[in-house]
Coordinates of all heavy atoms in Angstrom, one line a residue:
M196 N 14.8 -7.1 10.0 CA 14.7 -5.7 9.9 C 13.6 -5.2 9.0 O 13.0 -4.2 9.3 CB 16.1 -5.2 9.3 CG 16.2 -3.7 9.3 SD 16.3 -3.1 11.0 CE 16.7 -1.5 10.7
R197 N 13.2 -6.0 8.0 CA 12.2 -5.6 7.1 C 10.8 -5.5 7.9 O 10.0 -4.6 7.6 CB 12.0 -6.6 5.9 CG 13.2 -6.5 5.0 CD 13.0 -7.5 3.9 NE 14.2 -7.4 3.0 CZ 14.4 -8.3 2.1 NH1 13.6 -9.3 1.9 NH2 15.5 -8.2 1.4
I198 N 10.6 -6.4 8.8 CA 9.4 -6.4 9.5 C 9.3 -5.2 10.4 O 8.2 -4.6 10.5 CB 9.3 -7.7 10.5 CG1 9.4 -8.9 9.6 CG2 8.1 -7.6 11.3 CD1 8.1 -9.5 9.1
G199 N 10.4 -4.7 10.9 CA 10.5 -3.5 11.7 C 10.0 -2.3 10.9 O 9.3 -1.5 11.4
W200 N 10.5 -2.2 9.7 CA 10.1 -1.1 8.9 C 8.6 -1.1 8.6 O 7.9 -0.1 8.5 CB 10.9 -1.0 7.6 CG 12.3 -0.5 7.8 CD1 13.4 -1.2 7.8 CD2 12.7 0.8 8.1 NE1 14.5 -0.4 8.0 CE2 14.1 0.8 8.3 CE3 12.0 2.0 8.4 CZ2 14.8 2.0 8.6 CZ3 12.7 3.1 8.7 CH2 14.0 3.1 8.8
M201 N 8.0 -2.3 8.3 CA 6.6 -2.5 8.0 C 5.8 -2.0 9.2 O 4.8 -1.3 9.1 CB 6.3 -3.9 7.6 CG 4.8 -4.0 7.2 SD 4.2 -5.6 6.8 CE 5.5 -6.4 5.9
V202 N 6.2 -2.4 10.4 CA 5.5 -2.1 11.6 C 5.5 -0.6 11.8 O 4.5 0.1 12.1 CB 6.1 -2.8 12.9 CG1 5.6 -2.2 14.1 CG2 5.9 -4.3 12.8
L203 N 6.7 0.1 11.6 CA 6.8 1.5 11.7 C 5.8 2.2 10.7 O 5.2 3.2 11.0 CB 8.2 2.0 11.4 CG 9.2 1.7 12.6 CD1 10.6 2.1 12.2 CD2 8.8 2.4 13.8
G204 N 5.8 1.7 9.5 CA 4.9 2.2 8.5 C 3.4 2.1 8.9 O 2.6 3.1 8.7
L205 N 3.0 1.0 9.4 CA 1.6 0.8 9.9 C 1.3 1.7 11.1 O 0.2 2.2 11.2 CB 1.4 -0.7 10.2 CG 1.4 -1.6 9.0 CD1 1.2 -3.1 9.4 CD2 0.3 -1.2 8.0
L206 N 2.3 1.9 12.0 CA 2.1 2.7 13.1 C 1.9 4.2 12.7 O 1.4 5.0 13.4 CB 3.2 2.6 14.1 CG 3.3 1.3 14.9 CD1 4.5 1.2 15.8 CD2 2.0 1.0 15.7
A207 N 2.4 4.6 11.5 CA 2.3 5.9 11.0 C 0.9 6.3 10.7 O 0.5 7.4 10.5 CB 3.3 6.1 9.8
M208 N 0.1 5.3 10.5 CA -1.4 5.5 10.1 C -2.0 6.2 11.3 O -1.6 6.1 12.5 CB -2.1 4.2 9.8 CG -1.6 3.6 8.6 SD -2.5 2.0 8.3 CE -1.9 1.6 6.7
S209 N -3.1 6.9 11.1 CA -3.8 7.6 12.1 C -4.3 6.7 13.3 O -4.5 5.5 13.0 CB -5.0 8.4 11.6 OG -6.0 7.5 11.2
G210 N -4.5 7.2 14.4 CA -5.0 6.5 15.6 C -6.3 5.9 15.3 O -6.7 4.8 15.8
S211 N -7.2 6.6 14.6 CA -8.5 6.1 14.3 C -8.5 4.9 13.4 O -9.3 3.9 13.6 CB -9.4 7.2 13.7 OG -8.9 7.5 12.4
A212 N -7.5 4.8 12.5 CA -7.4 3.6 11.7 C -7.0 2.4 12.5 O -7.4 1.3 12.3 CB -6.4 3.9 10.6
L213 N -6.1 2.6 13.4 CA -5.6 1.5 14.2 C -6.7 1.0 15.2 O -6.7 -0.1 15.6 CB -4.3 1.9 15.0 CG -3.1 2.2 14.1 CD1 -2.0 2.7 15.0 CD2 -2.7 0.9 13.4
A214 N -7.6 1.9 15.6 CA -8.7 1.5 16.5 C -9.7 0.6 15.8 O -10.4 -0.1 16.5 CB -9.4 2.8 17.0
D215 N -9.7 0.5 14.5 CA -10.6 -0.4 13.8 C -10.2 -1.9 13.8 O -10.8 -2.7 13.2 CB -10.8 0.1 12.4 CG -11.7 1.3 12.3 OD1 -12.4 1.6 13.2 OD2 -11.6 2.0 11.3
G216 N -9.2 -2.2 14.6 CA -8.8 -3.6 14.7 C -8.2 -4.2 13.4 O -7.1 -3.9 13.0
D217 N -9.0 -5.0 12.8 CA -8.5 -5.7 11.6 C -8.8 -5.0 10.3 O -8.8 -5.6 9.2 CB -9.1 -7.1 11.5 CG -8.6 -8.0 12.6 OD1 -7.5 -7.8 13.1 OD2 -9.4 -8.9 13.1
R218 N -9.1 -3.7 10.3 CA -9.5 -3.0 9.1 C -8.4 -3.1 8.1 O -8.7 -3.2 6.9 CB -9.8 -1.5 9.5 CG -10.1 -0.7 8.3 CD -10.5 0.7 8.6 NE -10.7 1.5 7.4 CZ -10.9 2.7 7.4 NH1 -11.1 3.4 8.5 NH2 -11.1 3.4 6.2
Y219 N -7.1 -2.9 8.5 CA -6.0 -2.9 7.5 C -5.3 -4.2 7.6 O -4.9 -4.7 8.6 CB -5.0 -1.8 7.8 CG -5.7 -0.4 7.6 CD1 -6.2 0.3 8.7 CD2 -5.7 0.2 6.3 CE1 -6.8 1.5 8.5 CE2 -6.3 1.4 6.1 CZ -6.9 2.1 7.2 OH -7.5 3.3 7.0
Q220 N -5.2 -4.9 6.4 CA -4.5 -6.1 6.3 C -3.3 -6.0 5.4 O -3.4 -5.3 4.3 CB -5.4 -7.2 5.7 CG -6.7 -7.5 6.5 CD -6.3 -8.2 7.8 OE1 -5.5 -9.1 7.8 NE2 -7.0 -7.7 8.9
A221 N -2.1 -6.5 5.8 CA -0.9 -6.4 5.1 C -0.4 -7.7 4.7 O -0.3 -8.6 5.6 CB 0.2 -5.6 5.9
L222 N 0.0 -7.9 3.5 CA 0.6 -9.2 3.0 C 1.9 -8.9 2.3 O 2.0 -8.0 1.5 CB -0.4 -9.8 1.9 CG -1.8 -10.1 2.3 CD1 -2.7 -10.4 1.1 CD2 -1.8 -11.3 3.3
P223 N 2.9 -9.7 2.7 CA 4.3 -9.4 2.1 C 4.2 -9.8 0.6 O 3.5 -10.7 0.2 CB 5.2 -10.4 2.9 CG 4.3 -11.4 3.5 CD 2.9 -10.7 3.7
L224 N 4.9 -9.0 -0.2 CA 5.0 -9.3 -1.6 C 6.4 -10.0 -1.9 O 7.4 -9.5 -1.4 CB 4.9 -8.0 -2.4 CG 3.6 -7.3 -2.4 CD1 3.6 -6.0 -3.1 CD2 2.5 -8.2 -3.0
A225 N 6.4 -11.0 -2.7 CA 7.6 -11.7 -3.1 C 8.3 -10.9 -4.2 O 7.7 -10.3 -5.0 CB 7.3 -13.1 -3.6
G226 N 9.6 -10.9 -4.1 CA 10.4 -10.2 -5.1 C 10.3 -8.7 -5.0 O 9.4 -8.1 -4.3
A227 N 11.2 -8.0 -5.6 CA 11.2 -6.5 -5.5 C 11.6 -5.9 -6.8 O 12.5 -5.1 -6.9 CB 12.1 -6.0 -4.4
E228 N 11.0 -6.4 -7.9 CA 11.4 -6.0 -9.3 C 11.3 -4.5 -9.5 O 12.1 -4.0 -10.2 CB 10.6 -6.8 -10.3 CG 10.8 -8.3 -10.3 CD 10.0 -9.0 -9.3 OE1 9.0 -8.4 -8.7 OE2 10.2 -10.2 -9.1
G229 N 10.4 -3.9 -8.9 CA 10.1 -2.5 -9.1 C 11.0 -1.5 -8.3 O 10.9 -0.3 -8.4
S230 N 11.8 -2.1 -7.4 CA 12.7 -1.2 -6.6 C 14.1 -1.8 -6.5 O 14.4 -2.7 -7.1 CB 12.0 -1.1 -5.2 OG 12.1 -2.4 -4.6
K231 N 14.9 -1.1 -5.7 CA 16.3 -1.5 -5.6 C 16.4 -2.5 -4.4 O 17.3 -2.4 -3.6 CB 17.2 -0.3 -5.3 CG 17.3 0.6 -6.5 CD 18.2 0.0 -7.5 CE 18.4 1.0 -8.6 NZ 19.1 0.5 -9.7
G232 N 15.5 -3.5 -4.3 CA 15.6 -4.4 -3.2 C 14.8 -3.9 -2.0 O 14.1 -2.9 -2.1
G233 N 14.8 -4.7 -0.9 CA 14.1 -4.3 0.3 C 12.7 -4.9 0.3 O 12.3 -5.5 -0.6
G234 N 12.1 -4.7 1.4 CA 10.8 -5.3 1.6 C 9.7 -4.6 1.0 O 9.7 -3.4 0.8
R235 N 8.6 -5.3 0.6 CA 7.4 -4.7 0.0 C 6.2 -5.4 0.6 O 6.2 -6.6 0.9 CB 7.4 -4.9 -1.5 CG 8.6 -4.1 -2.2 CD 8.6 -4.3 -3.7 NE 7.5 -3.5 -4.2 CZ 6.9 -3.8 -5.4 NH1 7.3 -4.8 -6.1 NH2 5.9 -3.0 -5.8
A236 N 5.1 -4.7 0.7 CA 3.9 -5.3 1.2 C 2.7 -4.7 0.5 O 2.7 -3.5 0.1 CB 3.7 -5.0 2.7
F237 N 1.6 -5.5 0.4 CA 0.3 -5.1 -0.2 C -0.5 -4.8 1.0 O -0.7 -5.6 1.9 CB -0.3 -6.3 -1.0 CG -1.7 -6.1 -1.5 CD1 -1.9 -5.5 -2.7 CD2 -2.7 -6.6 -0.7 CE1 -3.2 -5.4 -3.1 CE2 -4.0 -6.4 -1.2 CZ -4.3 -5.8 -2.4
I238 N -1.1 -3.6 1.1 CA -1.9 -3.2 2.2 C -3.4 -2.9 1.7 O -3.6 -2.1 0.8 CB -1.4 -1.9 2.9 CG1 0.1 -2.3 3.4 CG2 -2.3 -1.5 4.1 CD1 0.8 -1.1 3.9
L239 N -4.3 -3.6 2.4 CA -5.7 -3.5 2.0 C -6.6 -2.9 3.1 O -6.5 -3.4 4.3 CB -6.3 -4.8 1.6 CG -7.8 -4.9 1.4 CD1 -8.2 -4.1 0.2 CD2 -8.2 -6.4 1.2
D240 N -7.4 -1.9 2.8 CA -8.3 -1.3 3.8 C -9.6 -2.2 3.6 O -10.3 -2.0 2.6 CB -8.6 0.1 3.4 CG -9.7 0.8 4.2 OD1 -10.4 0.0 5.0 OD2 -9.9 2.0 4.2
T241 N -9.9 -3.1 4.5 CA -11.0 -4.1 4.3 C -12.3 -3.4 4.5 O -13.3 -4.0 4.1 CB -10.8 -5.2 5.3 OG1 -10.9 -4.7 6.6 CG2 -9.6 -6.0 5.1
R242 N -12.4 -2.2 5.0 CA -13.7 -1.5 5.1 C -14.1 -0.8 3.9 O -15.2 -0.9 3.4 CB -13.7 -0.6 6.3 CG -15.1 0.0 6.6 CD -15.1 1.0 7.7 NE -14.5 2.2 7.2 CZ -14.2 3.3 7.9 NH1 -14.2 3.2 9.2 NH2 -13.7 4.3 7.4
D243 N -13.2 0.0 3.3 CA -13.5 0.9 2.2 C -12.9 0.4 0.9 O -13.2 1.0 -0.2 CB -13.0 2.3 2.5 CG -13.7 2.9 3.7 OD1 -14.9 2.5 3.9 OD2 -13.2 3.8 4.3
G244 N -12.0 -0.6 0.9 CA -11.4 -1.1 -0.3 C -10.2 -0.4 -0.9 O -9.8 -0.7 -2.0
H245 N -9.6 0.5 -0.2 CA -8.4 1.2 -0.7 C -7.2 0.3 -0.6 O -7.2 -0.6 0.3 CB -8.2 2.5 0.1 CG -9.2 3.5 0.0 ND1 -9.4 4.3 -1.1 CD2 -10.3 3.8 0.8 CE1 -10.4 5.1 -1.0 NE2 -11.0 4.8 0.2
V246 N -6.3 0.4 -1.6 CA -5.1 -0.5 -1.7 C -3.9 0.4 -1.8 O -3.9 1.3 -2.6 CB -5.2 -1.4 -2.9 CG1 -4.0 -2.3 -3.0 CG2 -6.5 -2.3 -2.7
W247 N -2.8 0.0 -1.1 CA -1.5 0.6 -1.2 C -0.4 -0.4 -1.3 O -0.6 -1.6 -0.9 CB -1.2 1.4 0.1 CG -2.1 2.5 0.4 CD1 -1.9 3.8 0.1 CD2 -3.3 2.5 1.2 NE1 -2.9 4.6 0.6 CE2 -3.8 3.8 1.3 CE3 -4.0 1.5 1.8 CZ2 -4.9 4.1 2.0 CZ3 -5.1 1.8 2.5 CH2 -5.6 3.1 2.6
I248 N 0.7 -0.1 -1.9 CA 1.9 -0.9 -1.9 C 2.9 -0.1 -1.0 O 3.1 1.1 -1.2 CB 2.5 -1.1 -3.3 CG1 1.5 -1.8 -4.2 CG2 3.8 -1.8 -3.2 CD1 1.2 -3.3 -3.8
W249 N 3.4 -0.7 0.0 CA 4.4 -0.1 0.9 C 5.7 -0.7 0.4 O 5.9 -2.0 0.3 CB 4.2 -0.4 2.3 CG 5.3 0.1 3.2 CD1 5.5 1.3 3.7 CD2 6.4 -0.7 3.7 NE1 6.6 1.4 4.4 CE2 7.2 0.2 4.4 CE3 6.8 -2.0 3.5 CZ2 8.4 -0.3 5.0 CZ3 8.0 -2.4 4.1 CH2 8.8 -1.6 4.9
S250 N 6.7 0.1 0.2 CA 8.1 -0.4 -0.2 C 9.1 0.2 0.8 O 9.1 1.4 1.1 CB 8.4 0.1 -1.6 OG 9.7 -0.3 -2.0
E251 N 10.0 -0.6 1.2 CA 11.1 -0.2 2.1 C 12.1 0.6 1.3 O 12.9 1.4 1.9 CB 11.8 -1.5 2.6 CG 12.8 -1.3 3.7 CD 13.3 -2.6 4.2 OE1 13.9 -3.4 3.4 OE2 13.1 -2.9 5.4
N252 N 12.2 0.5 0.0 CA 13.3 1.1 -0.8 C 12.7 1.7 -2.1 O 13.0 1.1 -3.1 CB 14.4 0.2 -1.0 CG 15.7 0.9 -1.2 OD1 15.8 2.1 -1.0 ND2 16.7 0.1 -1.7
E253 N 11.9 2.7 -2.0 CA 11.2 3.3 -3.2 C 11.9 4.5 -3.6 O 12.4 5.3 -2.8 CB 9.7 3.6 -2.8 CG 8.8 3.9 -3.9 CD 8.6 2.7 -4.8 OE1 8.5 1.6 -4.3 OE2 8.6 2.9 -6.0
L254 N 11.9 4.8 -4.9 CA 12.5 6.0 -5.4 C 11.6 7.2 -5.1 O 10.4 7.2 -5.5 CB 12.7 6.0 -6.9 CG 13.4 7.2 -7.5 CD1 14.8 7.4 -6.9 CD2 13.6 7.0 -9.0
I255 N 12.1 8.2 -4.3 CA 11.3 9.3 -3.8 C 11.9 10.6 -4.3 O 13.1 10.8 -4.3 CB 11.3 9.3 -2.2 CG1 10.7 8.0 -1.7 CG2 10.6 10.5 -1.7 CD1 10.8 7.8 -0.2
T256 N 11.0 11.5 -4.7 CA 11.5 12.8 -5.1 C 11.1 13.8 -4.0 O 9.9 14.0 -3.7 CB 10.8 13.3 -6.4 OG1 11.2 12.3 -7.4 CG2 11.3 14.7 -6.9
A257 N 12.1 14.4 -3.4 CA 11.8 15.4 -2.3 C 11.3 16.7 -2.9 O 11.4 17.0 -4.1 CB 13.1 15.7 -1.6
P258 N 10.6 17.5 -2.0 CA 10.1 18.8 -2.5 C 11.1 19.7 -3.2 O 10.8 20.5 -4.0 CB 9.6 19.5 -1.2 CG 9.3 18.3 -0.3 CD 10.3 17.3 -0.6
D259 N 12.4 19.6 -2.8 CA 13.4 20.4 -3.4 C 13.9 19.8 -4.8 O 14.8 20.3 -5.4 CB 14.6 20.6 -2.5 CG 15.3 19.3 -2.1 OD1 15.0 18.2 -2.6 OD2 16.3 19.4 -1.3
G260 N 13.3 18.7 -5.2 CA 13.7 18.1 -6.5 C 14.7 17.0 -6.4 O 14.9 16.3 -7.4
R261 N 15.4 16.8 -5.3 CA 16.4 15.7 -5.2 C 15.7 14.4 -5.1 O 14.6 14.3 -4.5 CB 17.3 16.0 -3.9 CG 18.2 17.2 -4.0 CD 19.1 17.3 -2.9 NE 18.3 17.5 -1.7 CZ 18.8 17.2 -0.4 NH1 20.0 16.7 -0.3 NH2 18.0 17.4 0.6
R262 N 16.3 13.4 -5.7 CA 15.8 12.0 -5.7 C 16.7 11.1 -4.8 O 17.9 11.2 -4.8 CB 15.7 11.5 -7.1 CG 14.8 12.4 -7.9 CD 14.8 11.9 -9.3 NE 13.9 10.7 -9.4 CZ 13.5 10.1 -10.5 NH1 13.9 10.6 -11.6 NH2 12.8 9.0 -10.4
R263 N 16.0 10.2 -4.1 CA 16.7 9.3 -3.2 C 15.8 8.1 -3.0 O 14.6 8.1 -3.4 CB 17.0 9.9 -1.8 CG 15.7 10.3 -1.0 CD 16.0 10.8 0.3 NE 14.8 11.2 1.0 CZ 14.0 10.4 1.7 NH1 14.2 9.1 1.7 NH2 12.9 10.8 2.3
Y264 N 16.4 7.0 -2.4 CA 15.6 5.8 -2.1 C 15.2 5.9 -0.6 O 16.0 6.2 0.2 CB 16.4 4.6 -2.4 CG 16.4 4.3 -3.9 CD1 17.5 4.8 -4.7 CD2 15.4 3.6 -4.5 CE1 17.5 4.6 -6.0 CE2 15.4 3.4 -5.9 CZ 16.5 3.9 -6.7 OH 16.5 3.7 -8.0
G265 N 14.0 5.5 -0.3 CA 13.5 5.5 1.1 C 12.2 4.8 1.1 O 11.6 4.4 0.1
A266 N 11.6 4.6 2.3 CA 10.4 3.9 2.5 C 9.2 4.8 2.1 O 9.3 6.0 2.2 CB 10.2 3.6 4.0
G267 N 8.2 4.2 1.5 CA 7.1 5.0 1.0 C 5.9 4.1 0.7 O 6.0 2.9 0.4
F268 N 4.7 4.8 0.7 CA 3.4 4.2 0.3 C 3.0 4.7 -1.1 O 3.2 5.8 -1.4 CB 2.3 4.6 1.3 CG 2.4 4.0 2.6 CD1 3.1 4.6 3.6 CD2 1.9 2.7 2.9 CE1 3.2 4.0 4.9 CE2 2.0 2.2 4.1 CZ 2.6 2.8 5.1
I269 N 2.5 3.8 -1.9 CA 2.0 4.1 -3.2 C 0.6 3.7 -3.3 O 0.3 2.5 -3.2 CB 2.8 3.4 -4.4 CG1 4.3 3.8 -4.2 CG2 2.3 3.8 -5.7 CD1 5.2 2.9 -5.1
Y270 N -0.3 4.7 -3.5 CA -1.8 4.4 -3.5 C -2.1 3.7 -4.9 O -1.7 4.2 -5.9 CB -2.6 5.7 -3.4 CG -4.0 5.5 -3.4 CD1 -4.7 4.8 -2.3 CD2 -4.8 5.9 -4.4 CE1 -6.0 4.6 -2.3 CE2 -6.2 5.7 -4.4 CZ -6.8 5.1 -3.4 OH -8.2 4.9 -3.3
Q271 N -2.8 2.6 -4.8 CA -3.1 1.8 -6.0 C -4.5 2.0 -6.5 O -4.8 1.7 -7.7 CB -2.8 0.3 -5.8 CG -1.4 0.0 -5.4 CD -0.4 0.3 -6.6 OE1 -0.7 -0.1 -7.7 NE2 0.6 1.0 -6.2
G272 N -5.4 2.5 -5.7 CA -6.8 2.7 -6.1 C -7.7 2.0 -5.1 O -7.4 1.7 -4.0
K273 N -9.0 1.9 -5.5 CA -10.0 1.4 -4.7 C -10.7 0.2 -5.3 O -11.0 0.2 -6.5 CB -11.1 2.4 -4.4 CG -12.1 2.0 -3.4 CD -13.1 3.2 -3.1 CE -14.1 2.7 -2.1 NZ -15.0 3.8 -1.7
L274 N -10.8 -0.9 -4.5 CA -11.5 -2.1 -5.0 C -12.9 -2.1 -4.7 O -13.4 -1.4 -3.8 CB -10.8 -3.3 -4.3 CG -9.3 -3.5 -4.5 CD1 -8.9 -4.7 -3.6 CD2 -9.0 -3.7 -5.9
R275 N -13.7 -2.9 -5.4 CA -15.1 -3.1 -5.1 C -15.4 -4.6 -5.2 O -14.8 -5.3 -6.1 CB -16.0 -2.3 -5.9 CG -16.2 -2.8 -7.4 CD -17.4 -2.0 -8.0 NE -17.6 -2.5 -9.3 CZ -18.3 -3.5 -9.7 NH1 -18.8 -4.3 -8.8 NH2 -18.5 -3.9 -10.9
P276 N -16.3 -5.2 -4.4 CA -16.5 -6.6 -4.5 C -17.3 -7.0 -5.8 O -18.1 -6.2 -6.3 CB -17.4 -6.9 -3.3 CG -18.0 -5.6 -2.9 CD -17.0 -4.5 -3.4
G277 N -17.0 -8.2 -6.3 CA -17.7 -8.7 -7.4 C -18.8 -9.6 -6.9 O -19.0 -9.8 -5.7
S278 N -19.6 -10.2 -7.9 CA -20.7 -11.1 -7.5 C -20.3 -12.5 -7.6 O -21.1 -13.4 -7.1 CB -21.9 -10.7 -8.3 OG -21.6 -10.9 -9.7
Q279 N -19.2 -12.9 -8.2 CA -18.8 -14.3 -8.4 C -17.3 -14.3 -8.6 O -16.7 -13.4 -9.1 CB -19.5 -14.9 -9.5 CG -19.3 -14.3 -10.9 CD -20.1 -14.9 -11.9 OE1 -21.0 -15.7 -11.7 NE2 -19.9 -14.5 -13.2
P280 N -16.7 -15.5 -8.2 CA -15.2 -15.6 -8.4 C -14.9 -15.5 -9.9 O -15.6 -16.0 -10.8 CB -14.9 -17.0 -7.9 CG -16.0 -17.3 -6.9 CD -17.2 -16.6 -7.5
G281 N -13.8 -14.8 -10.2 CA -13.3 -14.7 -11.6 C -14.0 -13.7 -12.4 O -13.7 -13.5 -13.6
E282 N -14.9 -12.9 -11.8 CA -15.7 -11.9 -12.6 C -14.7 -10.8 -13.0 O -13.9 -10.3 -12.2 CB -16.8 -11.3 -11.7 CG -17.5 -10.2 -12.3 CD -18.5 -9.6 -11.3 OE1 -18.6 -10.0 -10.2 OE2 -19.2 -8.6 -11.7
M283 N -14.8 -10.3 -14.2 CA -14.1 -9.2 -14.7 C -14.8 -7.9 -14.3 O -16.0 -7.7 -14.6 CB -13.9 -9.2 -16.2 CG -13.0 -10.4 -16.7 SD -11.4 -10.3 -16.0 CE -10.7 -9.0 -16.9
I284 N -14.2 -7.0 -13.6 CA -14.8 -5.8 -13.1 C -14.2 -4.6 -13.9 O -13.0 -4.4 -13.8 CB -14.7 -5.6 -11.6 CG1 -15.3 -6.8 -10.9 CG2 -15.3 -4.3 -11.2 CD1 -15.2 -6.8 -9.4
E285 N -15.0 -3.9 -14.6 CA -14.5 -2.8 -15.4 C -14.4 -1.5 -14.5 O -15.1 -1.4 -13.6 CB -15.5 -2.4 -16.5 CG -15.7 -3.6 -17.5 CD -14.5 -3.9 -18.3 OE1 -13.7 -3.0 -18.6 OE2 -14.3 -5.1 -18.6
Q286 N -13.4 -0.7 -14.9 CA -13.2 0.5 -14.1 C -14.3 1.5 -14.3 O -14.8 1.7 -15.4 CB -11.9 1.2 -14.6 CG -11.6 2.5 -13.8 CD -10.3 3.1 -14.3 OE1 -9.6 2.6 -15.2 NE2 -9.9 4.2 -13.6
Q287 N -14.8 2.1 -13.2 CA -15.9 3.0 -13.3 C -15.4 4.4 -13.2 O -14.6 4.7 -12.4 CB -16.9 2.8 -12.2 CG -17.6 1.4 -12.3 CD -18.6 1.2 -11.1 OE1 -18.8 2.1 -10.3 NE2 -19.3 0.1 -11.1
V288 N -15.8 5.3 -14.1 CA -15.4 6.6 -14.2 C -16.5 7.5 -13.5 O -17.7 7.4 -13.8 CB -15.2 7.1 -15.6 CG1 -14.8 8.6 -15.6 CG2 -14.2 6.2 -16.3
K289 N -16.1 8.3 -12.5 CA -17.0 9.2 -11.8 C -17.1 10.5 -12.4 O -16.3 11.0 -13.0 CB -16.6 9.3 -10.4 CG -16.8 8.0 -9.6 CD -16.5 8.2 -8.1 CE -16.7 6.9 -7.4 NZ -16.6 7.1 -6.0

């Protein structure tokens, strides 16, 4: 069932994103310490370096202020390549 939710989440992305073939890569995350159980995945945009965490059971606040658990994406930021393995990359402020 967890795979089904992940597939639905990936299908929710725009048609142009899906047309890029292998642009988005998803890796399952072990454990779910930050949520009330359920599946979690690390999603990487291999072209632009954007990263999201998808969770099957994330705490969500609705526009009316009510809180509930449901599937959701959490944007983590943008990666940039380093020049060598193990390199520490400092955050750049724009």
Side-chain angles (χ1 to χ4, degrees):
M196 186 66 170
R197 290 181 185 168
I198 301 271
W200 284 109
M201 186 182 319
V202 170
L203 287 175
L205 291 174
L206 289 177
M208 292 181 175
S209 71
S211 63
L213 293 173
D215 286 341
D217 293 329
R218 177 176 175 184
Y219 295 95
Q220 299 291 317
L222 301 167
L224 293 174
E228 295 83 11
S230 65
K231 294 284 187 187
R235 296 179 74 204
F237 173 88
I238 300 172
L239 171 64
D240 174 351
T241 60
R242 186 183 77 193
D243 296 332
H245 297 283
V246 177
W247 297 266
I248 299 293
W249 174 83
S250 176
E251 186 176 64
N252 203 12
E253 193 66 39
L254 184 60
I255 299 170
T256 303
D259 64 3
R261 291 185 299 158
R262 298 179 75 171
R263 63 177 178 80
Y264 285 93
F268 288 92
I269 302 169
Y270 183 69
Q271 300 294 313
K273 186 174 179 179
L274 302 176
R275 74 169 183 82
S278 58
Q279 61 187 6
E282 175 184 3
M283 295 297 290
I284 299 174
E285 300 296 326
Q286 181 177 3
Q287 296 181 359
V288 179
K289 290 186 177 184

